[in-house]
Amino acid sequence: MAGPTPLRHDPALEKMYQLNANRWRYFRWTPRTAFISFMYAVFVPGVVGYAFAKTDGKWDMRAKLRGDTISEF
């Protein structure tokens, strides 16, 4: 019967795991990271929220038959 075989560790993966675990130590605010953070934290949710608010109540998908329009206004 074969028992568990020892795994061989890849040095590149081990280095990546350590870097990922200590990412907070190596992070620096640069213009690029500030721009990316702004886009994901402010701009994208703002655009999605604006689009949802602008089209709120415009379409009604319930109880429609074939040929009925889904537009409310």
Side-chain angles (χ1 to χ4, degrees), residues 34-46:
F35 176 73
I36 292 171
S37 298
F38 172 79
M39 293 302 276
Y40 282 117
V42 177
F43 183 74
V44 171

Side-chain angles (χ1 to χ4, degrees), residues 6-35:
L7 296 176
R8 293 171 52 191
H9 295 283
D10 185 7
L13 282 176
E14 292 295 326
K15 183 178 178 182
M16 185 187 71
Y17 295 151
Q18 289 300 318
L19 182 67
N20 197 21
N22 297 318
R23 185 175 303 270
W24 61 275
R25 292 183 183 170
Y26 302 109
F27 180 78
R28 297 288 183 261
W29 281 107
T30 63
R32 181 177 184 267
T33 58
F35 176 73

